[in-house]
Amino acid sequence: MSPPDDGSLAAALERVRHGLGARAALVVESAHRTTPAVLASAPASLLAPGATWPAQATAFAPTTGPALERDPVRLAALVPTSARLALAGPPVAVHHVPLTSAHAELLVVWTEPVGDRDVDPGALDALDTAMLARRTAQCRLRLAAEADAVRLRAVLATLGDALVMVDDAGARGYLNDAAAELLGLPDVDVAGTVLSQSIARLRGRSRDPQGLAREAQEYLADPSASVEDWLWEFDEAPTHLRVSTTPLQGAGLSGRMWVFEDVSTERRLLEQETQARRAAEEASAALAGSERRLRETQALLRTTFDALMDPCVLL
């Protein structure tokens, strides 16, 4: 029974391996790449996608037709040490086919003694290299997207503010660890719809959820609008968040970037400064009132003294 096919390169390789009775099947980047790497392997646990593959391992001319490569010298070059260690035994035969349009190579490896009659020549000739090339191109795009996601998460993790990117279509969004903690999410790999709901719940926990809801409706009525210095206040820490949001549009993407800056300490210091200034002003006003009353008392005493010292009064 043939293995299931989910449309991936790994599934196609598993079917190739199963159909030919081989120990392994791999697609690796061509030798012209600066650092060739494994794109997919069957079994999947053999070598992880992205594992380095020595350039000389694919530099030899491919096998032609239904032929199997058996020369020990060429086998040693075609199957490097990293792959040999992962195999159940040393390779005894390899079928090497270029996937030219995808700039990659197909390697089918046998580790058990295999004769020419053990492998159906028709099966080797019938390998659908065009399909494998298409899936190789798709696999390379997926790996590149995953690498970009890893780099993006690394950048986001270095930023202290909570950052969230939401896809309007509900696709997977991105957030850093600070945002995951703020939104109460267990992981940074979350669907866009979940992120939107989490932001709405955060807004609902504010001191004035209805007011923020009205502001959100006003501010975000225009999908292309940006918002800055939007203050969200809470009873529990963080007590103050400065929120900004910018649309993400282009290249098939429609969504928003959200930045939540914890300004609780800043606001607390500002409130303390305001209270200190108000207390100073009140003290200054009280002091000014005391000085005024003192001057009035001094003037009254002087007037009284002058009146008492008047000769007419003395007589």
Side-chain angles (χ1 to χ4, degrees):
M1 182 177 180
S2 297
D5 186 0
D6 60 4
S8 67
L9 178 59
L13 290 178
E14 185 59 43
R15 292 171 69 87
V16 168
R17 183 179 79 92
H18 182 270
L20 296 176
R23 176 66 183 86
L26 308 94
V27 169
V28 300
E29 293 182 307
S30 298
H32 75 276
R33 298 273 179 174
T34 304
T35 307
V38 175
L39 295 176
S41 66
S45 58
L46 183 66
L47 289 172
T52 301
W53 189 270
Q56 67 271 18
T58 55
F60 282 96
T63 50
T64 57
L68 298 181
E69 183 57 67
R70 303 174 188 275
D71 180 79
V73 175
R74 288 170 62 92
L75 286 178
L78 281 170
V79 185
T81 302
S82 58
R84 289 171 179 267
L85 293 175
L87 291 168
V92 298
V94 170
H95 188 60
H96 176 204
V97 182
L99 304 175
T100 308
S101 63
H103 305 291
E105 315 281 335
L106 168 66
L107 295 172
V108 185
V109 184
W110 286 262
T111 57
E112 299 291 337
V114 57
D116 291 337
R117 295 182 179 180
D118 296 330
V119 180
D120 181 5
L124 292 175
D125 282 336
L127 284 174
D128 191 347
T129 55
M131 177 272 292
L132 289 171
R134 288 194 302 273
R135 294 197 184 185
T136 297
Q138 295 168 355
C139 178
R140 185 178 281 117
L141 289 174
R142 179 182 59 79
L143 291 175
E146 290 177 353
D148 287 342
V150 170
R151 285 190 286 269
L152 177 60
R153 289 195 184 99
V155 172
L156 294 179
T158 63
L159 302 176
D161 295 337
L163 284 88
V164 180
M165 282 180 283
V166 180
D167 189 331
D168 291 340
R172 185 177 63 182
Y174 296 97
L175 69 163
N176 60 1
D177 291 338
E181 180 179 357
L182 176 66
L183 298 177
L185 296 173
D187 194 5
V188 296
D189 189 4
V190 182
T193 52
V194 175
L195 288 177
S196 297
Q197 294 167 1
S198 299
I199 292 174
R201 284 197 297 270
L202 175 65
R203 192 175 63 225
R205 298 201 304 267
S206 68
R207 292 175 182 171
D208 184 15
Q210 295 180 348
L212 287 183
R214 288 192 298 270
E215 291 175 350
Q217 186 174 9
E218 176 186 351
Y219 296 159
L220 306 180
D222 181 1
S224 63
S226 296
V227 182
E228 296 182 357
D229 296 329
W230 187 8
L231 188 64
W232 294 12
E233 299 182 8
F234 302 85
D235 292 325
E236 299 179 353
T239 57
H240 294 80
L241 292 175
R242 181 184 291 131
V243 180
S244 61
T245 177
T246 305
L248 298 174
Q249 295 177 337
L253 175 65
S254 176
R256 280 193 169 275
M257 163 80 85
W258 292 83
V259 180
F260 300 90
E261 181 185 0
D262 184 355
V263 293
S264 302
T265 301
E266 176 184 329
R267 296 291 298 189
R268 185 174 66 253
L269 293 176
L270 182 60
E271 290 175 359
Q272 291 175 353
E273 180 184 353
T274 301
Q275 292 173 0
R277 185 184 301 111
R278 185 181 299 114
E281 291 173 351
E282 292 175 353
S284 178
L287 179 60
S290 298
E291 291 177 345
R292 185 180 64 255
R293 288 191 296 273
L294 178 60
R295 287 194 299 271
E296 292 174 351
T297 301
Q298 289 175 339
L300 178 60
L301 290 174
R302 189 178 301 111
T303 302
T304 303
F305 182 76
D306 289 345
L308 292 174
M309 296 301 294
D310 188 319
C312 294
V313 173
L314 293 174
L315 292 175

